[in-house]
Amino acid sequence: MDSLVSTEWLAGELGAPDLKVVDASFHLPGDGRDARDEFSEAHIPGATFMDLAEIVDSDHPVPGMLPPDYKFASRMQALGIGDADRIIVYDNSPHHSGARAWWMLRSFGARRVAILDGGLPKWIAEGRAIESGQPPPARGHFTAQLDRTALADKDHVSAIAGSPAHELVDARGASRFAGEDPEPRPGVTPGHIPGSKNLPQGRLFNPDNSWKRGAALAAAFEEAGVDLAKPMVTTCGSGITAAVLLFGAHLLGKQDVKLYDGSWAEWGSDPATPKATGPQATGPNATGPNATGPNATGQS
């Protein structure tokens, strides 16, 4: 099974006993939307709701961190997901949160996981069937064991920040990256990790919400000054849209990518970490705190 499947493919596979469809929509408090309520109103037939806001480490001081193995296994089993299932995740979110669910499932050991290209918006736009309510799934048997090589922690990011041998790519919008907009979480300083590039996650999508592919997808990274030949760590506000960049790189065949799970929620709340503000400068003679290029200089 490919990592990205079409609406036509999914429509033909619905009802297969080994197929599990998961709505992983996620919204920030400021979005004014409730993902669970929206799922109850309309979802792909047979889908279950994966609550990303709840499947976290509730004992960690940083919000949204990956949960322990036993909690993730319990939540997947409650959704009826088993070890041998084919899992299709989708979302109806401007944050394209299905990518986070895909990364989490893969990181905890699922091997047959794909994202529905275009998500629920494309499915509905094509006039395909939907249903409402909260269907109770049968329990599955999911074995979770986190692959810690899939994620980066603050120490790892500190070690590579500004290194010419690595790429650190931030999925937030340009204004938040530059520190011009306030952070949505209290106690978090605006700005970005010094040396990081800015690729707002929305730039990886076509107008119909489908993923860019091939040369168009590669161009989005290149226009942000990202060298796809280097090992990469993706980051964002709290680890949701960082997964979008990671999945985009995956579509291009790139495997040496880690996700910084703490992201800016952790980095920006730590008074000891260096922080940069201002827009990213690019070009062969770029200078400044966020410059990129062979002659770039500057400090946070």
Side-chain angles (χ1 to χ4, degrees), residues 103 149-152 156-157 160 163 165-171 196-197 199 204 217-218 220-222 224-235 242-250 252-260:
W103 176 75
T149 65
L151 63 156
H156 179 77
V157 173
I160 68 168
S163 166
H166 294 80
E167 292 286 20
L168 183 60
V169 193
D170 192 320
S196 57
K197 311 288 178 63
L199 175 52
L204 304 193
L217 181 58
F221 284 92
E222 291 164 5
V226 178
D227 184 347
L228 289 169
K230 298 177 181 178
M232 182 189 303
V233 171
T234 63
T235 182
V244 175
L245 301 189
L246 184 146
F247 185 76
H250 171 82
L252 293 170
K254 187 170 177 60
Q255 302 300 323
D256 54 345
V257 186
K258 297 177 184 289
L259 188 148
Y260 177 24

mmCIF file of all heavy atoms in Angstrom, residues 103 149-152 156-157 160 163 165-171 196-197 199 204 217-218 220-222 224-235 242-250 252-260:
data_model
loop_
_atom_site.group_PDB
_atom_site.id
_atom_site.type_symbol
_atom_site.label_atom_id
_atom_site.label_comp_id
_atom_site.label_asym_id
_atom_site.label_seq_id
_atom_site.Cartn_x
_atom_site.Cartn_y
_atom_site.Cartn_z
ATOM 1 N N TRP A 103 2.499 9.766 11.268
ATOM 2 C CA TRP A 103 3.827 9.670 11.884
ATOM 3 C C TRP A 103 3.763 8.944 13.222
ATOM 4 O O TRP A 103 4.624 8.100 13.528
ATOM 5 C CB TRP A 103 4.412 11.068 12.061
ATOM 6 C CG TRP A 103 5.720 11.085 12.768
ATOM 7 C CD1 TRP A 103 6.933 10.728 12.272
ATOM 8 C CD2 TRP A 103 5.951 11.461 14.144
ATOM 9 N NE1 TRP A 103 7.904 10.860 13.241
ATOM 10 C CE2 TRP A 103 7.338 11.314 14.387
ATOM 11 C CE3 TRP A 103 5.127 11.926 15.171
ATOM 12 C CZ2 TRP A 103 7.899 11.601 15.630
ATOM 13 C CZ3 TRP A 103 5.691 12.215 16.409
ATOM 14 C CH2 TRP A 103 7.071 12.050 16.627
ATOM 15 N N THR A 149 14.290 6.611 17.308
ATOM 16 C CA THR A 149 15.085 7.231 16.245
ATOM 17 C C THR A 149 14.221 8.114 15.344
ATOM 18 O O THR A 149 14.746 8.871 14.530
ATOM 19 C CB THR A 149 15.786 6.168 15.383
ATOM 20 O OG1 THR A 149 14.808 5.395 14.678
ATOM 21 C CG2 THR A 149 16.630 5.241 16.242
ATOM 22 N N ALA A 150 12.894 8.023 15.494
ATOM 23 C CA ALA A 150 11.995 8.822 14.660
ATOM 24 C C ALA A 150 11.860 10.254 15.155
ATOM 25 O O ALA A 150 11.351 11.100 14.420
ATOM 26 C CB ALA A 150 10.608 8.169 14.605
ATOM 27 N N LEU A 151 12.292 10.511 16.383
ATOM 28 C CA LEU A 151 12.096 11.846 16.929
ATOM 29 C C LEU A 151 13.390 12.447 17.457
ATOM 30 O O LEU A 151 14.336 11.735 17.792
ATOM 31 C CB LEU A 151 11.031 11.851 18.025
ATOM 32 C CG LEU A 151 11.257 11.052 19.297
ATOM 33 C CD1 LEU A 151 10.423 11.663 20.429
ATOM 34 C CD2 LEU A 151 10.807 9.608 19.121
ATOM 35 N N ALA A 152 13.385 13.769 17.498
ATOM 36 C CA ALA A 152 14.512 14.533 18.028
ATOM 37 C C ALA A 152 14.089 15.198 19.332
ATOM 38 O O ALA A 152 12.944 15.636 19.459
ATOM 39 C CB ALA A 152 14.950 15.590 17.020
ATOM 40 N N HIS A 156 19.288 17.180 20.980
ATOM 41 C CA HIS A 156 19.686 16.922 19.591
ATOM 42 C C HIS A 156 19.543 18.185 18.755
ATOM 43 O O HIS A 156 20.436 18.521 17.956
ATOM 44 C CB HIS A 156 18.825 15.801 19.000
ATOM 45 C CG HIS A 156 19.140 15.492 17.569
ATOM 46 N ND1 HIS A 156 20.243 14.754 17.183
ATOM 47 C CD2 HIS A 156 18.515 15.845 16.412
ATOM 48 C CE1 HIS A 156 20.270 14.656 15.870
ATOM 49 N NE2 HIS A 156 19.233 15.309 15.370
ATOM 50 N N VAL A 157 18.431 18.890 18.931
ATOM 51 C CA VAL A 157 18.213 20.121 18.164
ATOM 52 C C VAL A 157 19.256 21.165 18.528
ATOM 53 O O VAL A 157 19.781 21.876 17.658
ATOM 54 C CB VAL A 157 16.793 20.645 18.379
ATOM 55 C CG1 VAL A 157 16.594 22.007 17.725
ATOM 56 C CG2 VAL A 157 15.769 19.649 17.821
ATOM 57 N N ILE A 160 22.480 20.540 16.591
ATOM 58 C CA ILE A 160 22.525 20.738 15.137
ATOM 59 C C ILE A 160 22.096 22.133 14.709
ATOM 60 O O ILE A 160 22.266 22.495 13.541
ATOM 61 C CB ILE A 160 21.656 19.703 14.397
ATOM 62 C CG1 ILE A 160 20.168 19.931 14.685
ATOM 63 C CG2 ILE A 160 22.073 18.284 14.743
ATOM 64 C CD1 ILE A 160 19.246 19.150 13.777
ATOM 65 N N SER A 163 24.077 24.221 12.237
ATOM 66 C CA SER A 163 25.092 23.388 11.611
ATOM 67 C C SER A 163 24.894 23.343 10.100
ATOM 68 O O SER A 163 23.781 23.090 9.626
ATOM 69 C CB SER A 163 25.021 21.956 12.163
ATOM 70 O OG SER A 163 25.772 21.062 11.358
ATOM 71 N N ALA A 165 25.728 21.070 8.214
ATOM 72 C CA ALA A 165 25.570 19.675 7.801
ATOM 73 C C ALA A 165 24.154 19.156 7.993
ATOM 74 O O ALA A 165 23.853 18.027 7.606
ATOM 75 C CB ALA A 165 26.542 18.795 8.586
ATOM 76 N N HIS A 166 23.278 19.956 8.597
ATOM 77 C CA HIS A 166 21.914 19.530 8.874
ATOM 78 C C HIS A 166 20.929 20.606 8.456
ATOM 79 O O HIS A 166 21.286 21.779 8.336
ATOM 80 C CB HIS A 166 21.717 19.235 10.366
ATOM 81 C CG HIS A 166 22.494 18.076 10.876
ATOM 82 N ND1 HIS A 166 23.837 18.164 11.191
ATOM 83 C CD2 HIS A 166 22.131 16.787 11.124
ATOM 84 C CE1 HIS A 166 24.262 16.981 11.619
ATOM 85 N NE2 HIS A 166 23.246 16.137 11.579
ATOM 86 N N GLU A 167 19.669 20.192 8.268
ATOM 87 C CA GLU A 167 18.589 21.132 8.020
ATOM 88 C C GLU A 167 17.576 21.049 9.158
ATOM 89 O O GLU A 167 17.172 19.957 9.562
ATOM 90 C CB GLU A 167 17.879 20.822 6.696
ATOM 91 C CG GLU A 167 18.723 21.079 5.466
ATOM 92 C CD GLU A 167 18.896 22.557 5.142
ATOM 93 O OE1 GLU A 167 18.693 23.400 6.030
ATOM 94 O OE2 GLU A 167 19.250 22.876 3.996
ATOM 95 N N LEU A 168 17.201 22.216 9.660
ATOM 96 C CA LEU A 168 16.171 22.342 10.683
ATOM 97 C C LEU A 168 15.072 23.195 10.061
ATOM 98 O O LEU A 168 15.302 24.356 9.723
ATOM 99 C CB LEU A 168 16.761 23.007 11.930
ATOM 100 C CG LEU A 168 15.889 23.171 13.162
ATOM 101 C CD1 LEU A 168 15.399 21.824 13.669
ATOM 102 C CD2 LEU A 168 16.672 23.890 14.263
ATOM 103 N N VAL A 169 13.880 22.621 9.874
ATOM 104 C CA VAL A 169 12.847 23.268 9.067
ATOM 105 C C VAL A 169 11.582 23.457 9.895
ATOM 106 O O VAL A 169 11.047 22.496 10.465
ATOM 107 C CB VAL A 169 12.543 22.452 7.797
ATOM 108 C CG1 VAL A 169 11.715 23.293 6.829
ATOM 109 C CG2 VAL A 169 13.824 21.989 7.110
ATOM 110 N N ASP A 170 11.099 24.683 9.938
ATOM 111 C CA ASP A 170 9.957 25.088 10.762
ATOM 112 C C ASP A 170 8.716 25.220 9.891
ATOM 113 O O ASP A 170 8.703 25.942 8.892
ATOM 114 C CB ASP A 170 10.293 26.432 11.429
ATOM 115 C CG ASP A 170 9.318 26.827 12.522
ATOM 116 O OD1 ASP A 170 8.108 26.613 12.356
ATOM 117 O OD2 ASP A 170 9.771 27.395 13.541
ATOM 118 N N ALA A 171 7.635 24.540 10.283
ATOM 119 C CA ALA A 171 6.409 24.485 9.488
ATOM 120 C C ALA A 171 5.425 25.600 9.800
ATOM 121 O O ALA A 171 4.373 25.681 9.145
ATOM 122 C CB ALA A 171 5.715 23.137 9.702
ATOM 123 N N SER A 196 17.241 27.866 11.668
ATOM 124 C CA SER A 196 16.191 27.080 11.022
ATOM 125 C C SER A 196 15.665 27.782 9.778
ATOM 126 O O SER A 196 15.748 28.997 9.638
ATOM 127 C CB SER A 196 15.053 26.799 12.008
ATOM 128 O OG SER A 196 14.523 27.992 12.541
ATOM 129 N N LYS A 197 15.136 26.983 8.860
ATOM 130 C CA LYS A 197 14.484 27.488 7.655
ATOM 131 C C LYS A 197 12.979 27.505 7.886
ATOM 132 O O LYS A 197 12.465 26.754 8.720
ATOM 133 C CB LYS A 197 14.813 26.589 6.460
ATOM 134 C CG LYS A 197 16.294 26.271 6.276
ATOM 135 C CD LYS A 197 17.077 27.455 5.776
ATOM 136 C CE LYS A 197 18.573 27.117 5.650
ATOM 137 N NZ LYS A 197 18.862 26.047 4.674
ATOM 138 N N LEU A 199 9.352 26.863 6.209
ATOM 139 C CA LEU A 199 8.520 26.342 5.129
ATOM 140 C C LEU A 199 7.114 26.146 5.688
ATOM 141 O O LEU A 199 6.799 25.093 6.238
ATOM 142 C CB LEU A 199 9.077 25.022 4.586
ATOM 143 C CG LEU A 199 8.250 24.296 3.521
ATOM 144 C CD1 LEU A 199 7.889 25.218 2.368
ATOM 145 C CD2 LEU A 199 8.984 23.055 3.030
ATOM 146 N N LEU A 204 2.750 22.919 0.812
ATOM 147 C CA LEU A 204 2.918 21.585 0.248
ATOM 148 C C LEU A 204 1.640 21.062 -0.398
ATOM 149 O O LEU A 204 1.607 19.906 -0.838
ATOM 150 C CB LEU A 204 3.377 20.600 1.328
ATOM 151 C CG LEU A 204 4.657 20.932 2.096
ATOM 152 C CD1 LEU A 204 5.121 19.717 2.889
ATOM 153 C CD2 LEU A 204 5.765 21.428 1.185
ATOM 154 N N LEU A 217 6.551 19.483 -5.432
ATOM 155 C CA LEU A 217 6.808 19.298 -4.005
ATOM 156 C C LEU A 217 8.254 19.616 -3.670
ATOM 157 O O LEU A 217 8.542 20.313 -2.686
ATOM 158 C CB LEU A 217 6.461 17.866 -3.603
ATOM 159 C CG LEU A 217 6.653 17.486 -2.134
ATOM 160 C CD1 LEU A 217 5.836 18.380 -1.222
ATOM 161 C CD2 LEU A 217 6.283 16.013 -1.920
ATOM 162 N N ALA A 218 9.175 19.134 -4.476
ATOM 163 C CA ALA A 218 10.594 19.425 -4.249
ATOM 164 C C ALA A 218 10.857 20.923 -4.323
ATOM 165 O O ALA A 218 11.664 21.463 -3.551
ATOM 166 C CB ALA A 218 11.448 18.680 -5.265
ATOM 167 N N ALA A 220 8.923 23.328 -3.409
ATOM 168 C CA ALA A 220 8.503 23.996 -2.179
ATOM 169 C C ALA A 220 9.637 23.984 -1.147
ATOM 170 O O ALA A 220 9.884 24.990 -0.465
ATOM 171 C CB ALA A 220 7.261 23.316 -1.612
ATOM 172 N N PHE A 221 10.333 22.862 -1.032
ATOM 173 C CA PHE A 221 11.475 22.789 -0.124
ATOM 174 C C PHE A 221 12.626 23.671 -0.620
ATOM 175 O O PHE A 221 13.245 24.406 0.169
ATOM 176 C CB PHE A 221 11.946 21.342 0.020
ATOM 177 C CG PHE A 221 11.078 20.491 0.893
ATOM 178 C CD1 PHE A 221 10.041 19.747 0.355
ATOM 179 C CD2 PHE A 221 11.301 20.421 2.261
ATOM 180 C CE1 PHE A 221 9.231 18.944 1.160
ATOM 181 C CE2 PHE A 221 10.505 19.632 3.085
ATOM 182 C CZ PHE A 221 9.462 18.893 2.526
ATOM 183 N N GLU A 222 12.896 23.596 -1.894
ATOM 184 C CA GLU A 222 14.017 24.355 -2.446
ATOM 185 C C GLU A 222 13.794 25.856 -2.316
ATOM 186 O O GLU A 222 14.730 26.616 -2.020
ATOM 187 C CB GLU A 222 14.217 23.962 -3.909
ATOM 188 C CG GLU A 222 14.726 22.538 -4.078
ATOM 189 C CD GLU A 222 14.557 22.001 -5.482
ATOM 190 O OE1 GLU A 222 14.115 22.792 -6.369
ATOM 191 O OE2 GLU A 222 14.854 20.821 -5.723
ATOM 192 N N ALA A 224 12.323 27.330 -0.015
ATOM 193 C CA ALA A 224 12.550 27.696 1.382
ATOM 194 C C ALA A 224 14.022 27.602 1.768
ATOM 195 O O ALA A 224 14.374 27.819 2.935
ATOM 196 C CB ALA A 224 11.716 26.797 2.292
ATOM 197 N N GLY A 225 14.875 27.281 0.801
ATOM 198 C CA GLY A 225 16.302 27.180 1.079
ATOM 199 C C GLY A 225 16.719 25.874 1.702
ATOM 200 O O GLY A 225 17.817 25.767 2.266
ATOM 201 N N VAL A 226 15.873 24.839 1.614
ATOM 202 C CA VAL A 226 16.158 23.553 2.238
ATOM 203 C C VAL A 226 16.916 22.656 1.265
ATOM 204 O O VAL A 226 16.475 22.440 0.143
ATOM 205 C CB VAL A 226 14.848 22.855 2.669
ATOM 206 C CG1 VAL A 226 15.142 21.489 3.271
ATOM 207 C CG2 VAL A 226 14.090 23.724 3.661
ATOM 208 N N ASP A 227 18.041 22.138 1.718
ATOM 209 C CA ASP A 227 18.835 21.191 0.937
ATOM 210 C C ASP A 227 18.374 19.788 1.314
ATOM 211 O O ASP A 227 18.676 19.291 2.408
ATOM 212 C CB ASP A 227 20.319 21.384 1.237
ATOM 213 C CG ASP A 227 21.219 20.500 0.379
ATOM 214 O OD1 ASP A 227 20.708 19.574 -0.276
ATOM 215 O OD2 ASP A 227 22.443 20.743 0.371
ATOM 216 N N LEU A 228 17.662 19.128 0.406
ATOM 217 C CA LEU A 228 17.103 17.816 0.695
ATOM 218 C C LEU A 228 18.163 16.725 0.793
ATOM 219 O O LEU A 228 17.850 15.594 1.188
ATOM 220 C CB LEU A 228 16.072 17.447 -0.370
ATOM 221 C CG LEU A 228 14.764 18.246 -0.315
ATOM 222 C CD1 LEU A 228 13.938 18.002 -1.574
ATOM 223 C CD2 LEU A 228 13.968 17.874 0.927
ATOM 224 N N ALA A 229 19.396 17.031 0.462
ATOM 225 C CA ALA A 229 20.460 16.037 0.575
ATOM 226 C C ALA A 229 20.978 15.914 2.014
ATOM 227 O O ALA A 229 21.688 14.961 2.340
ATOM 228 C CB ALA A 229 21.615 16.391 -0.358
ATOM 229 N N LYS A 230 20.620 16.856 2.874
ATOM 230 C CA LYS A 230 21.123 16.852 4.253
ATOM 231 C C LYS A 230 20.118 16.204 5.198
ATOM 232 O O LYS A 230 18.911 16.291 4.979
ATOM 233 C CB LYS A 230 21.391 18.287 4.714
ATOM 234 C CG LYS A 230 22.448 19.026 3.912
ATOM 235 C CD LYS A 230 22.585 20.457 4.406
ATOM 236 C CE LYS A 230 23.623 21.232 3.599
ATOM 237 N NZ LYS A 230 23.736 22.637 4.051
ATOM 238 N N PRO A 231 20.594 15.581 6.288
ATOM 239 C CA PRO A 231 19.680 15.094 7.318
ATOM 240 C C PRO A 231 18.820 16.252 7.835
ATOM 241 O O PRO A 231 19.296 17.380 7.953
ATOM 242 C CB PRO A 231 20.609 14.563 8.407
ATOM 243 C CG PRO A 231 21.896 14.294 7.711
ATOM 244 C CD PRO A 231 22.006 15.319 6.619
ATOM 245 N N MET A 232 17.549 15.958 8.139
ATOM 246 C CA MET A 232 16.601 17.016 8.452
ATOM 247 C C MET A 232 15.872 16.737 9.767
ATOM 248 O O MET A 232 15.587 15.581 10.104
ATOM 249 C CB MET A 232 15.565 17.122 7.314
ATOM 250 C CG MET A 232 14.524 18.223 7.470
ATOM 251 S SD MET A 232 13.201 18.111 6.215
ATOM 252 C CE MET A 232 14.156 18.177 4.696
ATOM 253 N N VAL A 233 15.591 17.813 10.489
ATOM 254 C CA VAL A 233 14.680 17.773 11.628
ATOM 255 C C VAL A 233 13.577 18.777 11.348
ATOM 256 O O VAL A 233 13.849 19.920 10.984
ATOM 257 C CB VAL A 233 15.391 18.119 12.952
ATOM 258 C CG1 VAL A 233 14.369 18.279 14.080
ATOM 259 C CG2 VAL A 233 16.400 17.044 13.318
ATOM 260 N N THR A 234 12.325 18.350 11.495
ATOM 261 C CA THR A 234 11.201 19.253 11.287
ATOM 262 C C THR A 234 10.633 19.689 12.626
ATOM 263 O O THR A 234 10.651 18.947 13.608
ATOM 264 C CB THR A 234 10.101 18.595 10.438
ATOM 265 O OG1 THR A 234 9.562 17.463 11.139
ATOM 266 C CG2 THR A 234 10.654 18.153 9.092
ATOM 267 N N THR A 235 10.133 20.911 12.659
ATOM 268 C CA THR A 235 9.614 21.492 13.885
ATOM 269 C C THR A 235 8.451 22.415 13.564
ATOM 270 O O THR A 235 8.205 22.752 12.406
ATOM 271 C CB THR A 235 10.744 22.246 14.629
ATOM 272 O OG1 THR A 235 10.253 22.778 15.852
ATOM 273 C CG2 THR A 235 11.297 23.379 13.781
ATOM 274 N N ALA A 242 4.755 19.918 12.012
ATOM 275 C CA ALA A 242 6.094 19.398 11.693
ATOM 276 C C ALA A 242 5.983 18.074 10.956
ATOM 277 O O ALA A 242 6.808 17.752 10.097
ATOM 278 C CB ALA A 242 6.906 19.228 12.974
ATOM 279 N N ALA A 243 4.934 17.298 11.278
ATOM 280 C CA ALA A 243 4.727 16.022 10.608
ATOM 281 C C ALA A 243 4.349 16.202 9.148
ATOM 282 O O ALA A 243 4.573 15.303 8.331
ATOM 283 C CB ALA A 243 3.652 15.215 11.335
ATOM 284 N N VAL A 244 3.754 17.342 8.803
ATOM 285 C CA VAL A 244 3.425 17.619 7.406
ATOM 286 C C VAL A 244 4.709 17.703 6.585
ATOM 287 O O VAL A 244 4.824 17.108 5.507
ATOM 288 C CB VAL A 244 2.607 18.918 7.281
ATOM 289 C CG1 VAL A 244 2.359 19.273 5.820
ATOM 290 C CG2 VAL A 244 1.282 18.791 8.029
ATOM 291 N N LEU A 245 5.695 18.450 7.082
ATOM 292 C CA LEU A 245 6.967 18.558 6.365
ATOM 293 C C LEU A 245 7.669 17.211 6.293
ATOM 294 O O LEU A 245 8.263 16.858 5.268
ATOM 295 C CB LEU A 245 7.867 19.579 7.045
ATOM 296 C CG LEU A 245 7.335 21.011 7.177
ATOM 297 C CD1 LEU A 245 8.439 21.936 7.683
ATOM 298 C CD2 LEU A 245 6.763 21.519 5.867
ATOM 299 N N LEU A 246 7.601 16.447 7.376
ATOM 300 C CA LEU A 246 8.231 15.130 7.385
ATOM 301 C C LEU A 246 7.582 14.224 6.343
ATOM 302 O O LEU A 246 8.280 13.521 5.596
ATOM 303 C CB LEU A 246 8.128 14.526 8.780
ATOM 304 C CG LEU A 246 8.827 13.185 9.012
ATOM 305 C CD1 LEU A 246 9.376 13.098 10.441
ATOM 306 C CD2 LEU A 246 7.882 11.999 8.777
ATOM 307 N N PHE A 247 6.259 14.246 6.260
ATOM 308 C CA PHE A 247 5.577 13.404 5.277
ATOM 309 C C PHE A 247 5.869 13.882 3.859
ATOM 310 O O PHE A 247 6.050 13.064 2.951
ATOM 311 C CB PHE A 247 4.070 13.399 5.526
ATOM 312 C CG PHE A 247 3.322 12.454 4.620
ATOM 313 C CD1 PHE A 247 3.343 11.091 4.847
ATOM 314 C CD2 PHE A 247 2.608 12.935 3.528
ATOM 315 C CE1 PHE A 247 2.664 10.207 4.007
ATOM 316 C CE2 PHE A 247 1.929 12.070 2.686
ATOM 317 C CZ PHE A 247 1.951 10.699 2.926
ATOM 318 N N GLY A 248 5.937 15.198 3.660
ATOM 319 C CA GLY A 248 6.296 15.712 2.347
ATOM 320 C C GLY A 248 7.660 15.234 1.909
ATOM 321 O O GLY A 248 7.861 14.823 0.756
ATOM 322 N N ALA A 249 8.624 15.255 2.826
ATOM 323 C CA ALA A 249 9.961 14.746 2.511
ATOM 324 C C ALA A 249 9.906 13.241 2.227
ATOM 325 O O ALA A 249 10.606 12.738 1.344
ATOM 326 C CB ALA A 249 10.916 15.041 3.662
ATOM 327 N N HIS A 250 9.061 12.535 2.969
ATOM 328 C CA HIS A 250 8.881 11.097 2.747
ATOM 329 C C HIS A 250 8.376 10.825 1.328
ATOM 330 O O HIS A 250 8.834 9.879 0.666
ATOM 331 C CB HIS A 250 7.902 10.548 3.781
ATOM 332 C CG HIS A 250 7.463 9.139 3.540
ATOM 333 N ND1 HIS A 250 8.213 8.045 3.908
ATOM 334 C CD2 HIS A 250 6.334 8.646 2.955
ATOM 335 C CE1 HIS A 250 7.583 6.934 3.566
ATOM 336 N NE2 HIS A 250 6.438 7.269 2.983
ATOM 337 N N LEU A 252 9.050 12.401 -1.201
ATOM 338 C CA LEU A 252 10.176 12.605 -2.111
ATOM 339 C C LEU A 252 11.250 11.538 -1.942
ATOM 340 O O LEU A 252 12.322 11.625 -2.549
ATOM 341 C CB LEU A 252 10.779 13.997 -1.885
ATOM 342 C CG LEU A 252 9.874 15.173 -2.289
ATOM 343 C CD1 LEU A 252 10.466 16.490 -1.803
ATOM 344 C CD2 LEU A 252 9.671 15.205 -3.805
ATOM 345 N N GLY A 253 10.969 10.546 -1.112
ATOM 346 C CA GLY A 253 11.902 9.445 -0.919
ATOM 347 C C GLY A 253 12.945 9.688 0.151
ATOM 348 O O GLY A 253 13.873 8.887 0.306
ATOM 349 N N LYS A 254 12.792 10.761 0.916
ATOM 350 C CA LYS A 254 13.785 11.101 1.942
ATOM 351 C C LYS A 254 13.434 10.393 3.252
ATOM 352 O O LYS A 254 12.314 10.528 3.760
ATOM 353 C CB LYS A 254 13.828 12.620 2.142
ATOM 354 C CG LYS A 254 14.945 13.082 3.066
ATOM 355 C CD LYS A 254 15.073 14.597 3.029
ATOM 356 C CE LYS A 254 16.141 15.089 4.008
ATOM 357 N NZ LYS A 254 17.479 14.510 3.686
ATOM 358 N N GLN A 255 14.383 9.676 3.817
ATOM 359 C CA GLN A 255 14.138 8.896 5.027
ATOM 360 C C GLN A 255 14.876 9.428 6.256
ATOM 361 O O GLN A 255 14.512 9.083 7.381
ATOM 362 C CB GLN A 255 14.548 7.434 4.791
ATOM 363 C CG GLN A 255 13.827 6.775 3.625
ATOM 364 C CD GLN A 255 12.322 6.743 3.780
ATOM 365 O OE1 GLN A 255 11.811 6.561 4.883
ATOM 366 N NE2 GLN A 255 11.605 6.946 2.682
ATOM 367 N N ASP A 256 15.920 10.245 6.062
ATOM 368 C CA ASP A 256 16.720 10.712 7.203
ATOM 369 C C ASP A 256 16.119 11.992 7.790
ATOM 370 O O ASP A 256 16.741 13.059 7.812
ATOM 371 C CB ASP A 256 18.177 10.918 6.790
ATOM 372 C CG ASP A 256 18.345 11.830 5.586
ATOM 373 O OD1 ASP A 256 17.345 12.095 4.888
ATOM 374 O OD2 ASP A 256 19.479 12.291 5.344
ATOM 375 N N VAL A 257 14.885 11.856 8.294
ATOM 376 C CA VAL A 257 14.156 12.996 8.849
ATOM 377 C C VAL A 257 13.640 12.617 10.229
ATOM 378 O O VAL A 257 13.047 11.559 10.418
ATOM 379 C CB VAL A 257 12.962 13.410 7.960
ATOM 380 C CG1 VAL A 257 12.324 14.691 8.487
ATOM 381 C CG2 VAL A 257 13.391 13.589 6.509
ATOM 382 N N LYS A 258 13.873 13.485 11.190
ATOM 383 C CA LYS A 258 13.333 13.338 12.542
ATOM 384 C C LYS A 258 12.359 14.484 12.820
ATOM 385 O O LYS A 258 12.455 15.553 12.214
ATOM 386 C CB LYS A 258 14.450 13.369 13.593
ATOM 387 C CG LYS A 258 15.465 12.242 13.496
ATOM 388 C CD LYS A 258 16.551 12.423 14.545
ATOM 389 C CE LYS A 258 17.649 11.367 14.422
ATOM 390 N NZ LYS A 258 17.172 10.037 14.850
ATOM 391 N N LEU A 259 11.448 14.265 13.747
ATOM 392 C CA LEU A 259 10.503 15.293 14.168
ATOM 393 C C LEU A 259 10.839 15.738 15.578
ATOM 394 O O LEU A 259 11.007 14.896 16.475
ATOM 395 C CB LEU A 259 9.081 14.747 14.084
ATOM 396 C CG LEU A 259 7.938 15.744 14.311
ATOM 397 C CD1 LEU A 259 6.716 15.346 13.469
ATOM 398 C CD2 LEU A 259 7.541 15.825 15.783
ATOM 399 N N TYR A 260 10.959 17.038 15.773
ATOM 400 C CA TYR A 260 11.193 17.578 17.114
ATOM 401 C C TYR A 260 9.843 17.682 17.807
ATOM 402 O O TYR A 260 9.076 18.603 17.571
ATOM 403 C CB TYR A 260 11.884 18.944 17.007
ATOM 404 C CG TYR A 260 12.112 19.641 18.338
ATOM 405 C CD1 TYR A 260 12.189 18.935 19.539
ATOM 406 C CD2 TYR A 260 12.275 21.020 18.389
ATOM 407 C CE1 TYR A 260 12.409 19.584 20.746
ATOM 408 C CE2 TYR A 260 12.498 21.681 19.581
ATOM 409 C CZ TYR A 260 12.558 20.960 20.765
ATOM 410 O OH TYR A 260 12.758 21.600 21.963
#
